[in-house]
Amino acid sequence: MNNKFQLEMLTGPTPGKIFPIADDQVIGGREPSCDIVINDAEISRKHFRLVWSDPGYILEDLGSTNGILVNEVKMNTPQGLHGGEKLSLGGKVVLEYRVIPIELEETIIFDNVELPPEHIDDLVEPIETEPGDNDQELFGPDVEPIQDELSSTEVPMEGSELDPTQKRSKKKKILLITLIIMAVVVIGLLIIYLYTAPTSFWCENFPFIFKPEIYPVCAP
């Protein structure tokens, strides 16, 4: 067999229990002599049988009282099982048929001698190096160590002096903001002055608008 086979109880008297399947014939039921014993009242004494037929198992109903459902479909004749299929026995017991590939053990061959992985480290001596030594051997003649590149890279720090172009741009922004603030202040003062100016001011400075025949207050 290239795979391992098992049944896992999803629901029933012992949920989560694993039943390994390795023999050519496996019988399951309530009877203690069965290969897979399921202690449930709705399970027959000998409920089902699994028969090996490469590459898997064939499920047979041994004349059980409550029958077998495979993926919720009643089974009337023997049928081959596939990994992941669910077998319902009675009304409470559900088993999942699982196919697990056999993983090859990791080995390393030295002069036709197989060694388990835990002994590999004993045969490999660690290479001891000191920081900064043999950089050219590690990186190659055409590659400079990374540390040298990092140390040669200049990163501007916060608060460092700006170049002349940046200084001029900053001065222009400050001057523009100052002029805008001054213009707003002057316009505001002018509006306040005109609003509080006496009537004579308007009559004397704007006679073409404030004519005496229209505005008697402007009459001499």
Side-chain angles (χ1 to χ4, degrees):
M1 298 182 184
N2 295 325
N3 300 311
K4 290 183 179 180
F5 302 87
Q6 64 183 26
L7 291 175
E8 179 180 357
M9 183 176 291
L10 302 182
T11 60
T14 55
K17 185 174 182 179
I18 302 295
F19 301 97
I21 306 172
D23 297 334
D24 292 339
Q25 179 173 289
V26 177
I27 296 178
R30 194 177 72 251
E31 193 172 276
S33 61
C34 291
D35 301 300
I36 298 177
V37 179
I38 303 174
N39 189 16
D40 185 272
E42 297 183 1
I43 302 298
S44 299
R45 293 179 180 274
K46 291 185 179 181
H47 200 105
F48 65 90
R49 175 168 53 197
L50 294 172
V51 179
W52 170 253
S53 178
D54 195 21
Y57 280 90
I58 295 177
L59 177 64
E60 298 178 359
D61 190 337
L62 298 179
S64 62
T65 302
N66 295 314
I68 302 174
L69 300 180
V70 179
N71 293 333
E72 300 182 356
V73 177
K74 183 174 179 60
M75 190 187 75
N76 296 316
T77 59
Q79 68 180 67
L81 295 178
H82 300 87
E85 289 186 324
K86 294 179 175 58
L87 317 180
S88 299
L89 313 177
K92 300 178 182 178
V93 178
V94 177
L95 304 176
E96 182 177 353
Y97 177 73
R98 292 184 176 178
V99 180
I100 303 173
I102 298 177
E103 298 179 356
L104 297 177
E105 297 181 357
E106 297 180 359
T107 58
I108 292 183
I109 300 177
F110 291 97
D111 295 333
N112 297 324
V113 178
E114 295 185 357
L115 296 177
E118 58 268 21
H119 295 302
I120 296 175
D121 293 338
D122 298 337
L123 301 178
V124 180
E125 296 182 358
I127 301 175
E128 297 181 0
T129 59
E130 296 182 0
D133 291 346
N134 301 325
D135 287 337
Q136 293 300 325
E137 294 181 4
L138 294 176
F139 295 101
D142 297 329
V143 181
E144 296 295 332
I146 298 176
Q147 184 62 34
D148 294 342
E149 294 182 3
L150 295 177
S151 60
S152 62
T153 303
E154 295 182 359
V155 180
M157 302 299 292
E158 184 178 357
S160 60
E161 186 177 356
L162 301 176
D163 58 40
T165 303
Q166 292 176 329
K167 286 184 178 180
R168 286 194 295 270
S169 177
K170 188 175 182 179
K171 287 182 179 180
K172 288 181 181 180
K173 290 181 181 179
I174 294 175
L175 179 60
L176 180 61
I177 294 173
T178 303
L179 291 176
I180 293 174
I181 294 175
M182 292 178 62
V184 171
V185 173
V186 170
I187 293 173
L189 293 175
L190 181 60
I191 292 174
I192 294 173
Y193 174 76
L194 294 176
Y195 182 79
T196 58
T199 305
S200 58
F201 170 81
W202 300 101
C203 295
E204 293 175 358
N205 294 282
F206 303 96
F208 55 89
I209 298 177
F210 297 93
K211 297 179 179 181
E213 56 272 17
I214 300 176
Y215 298 95
V217 293
C218 293

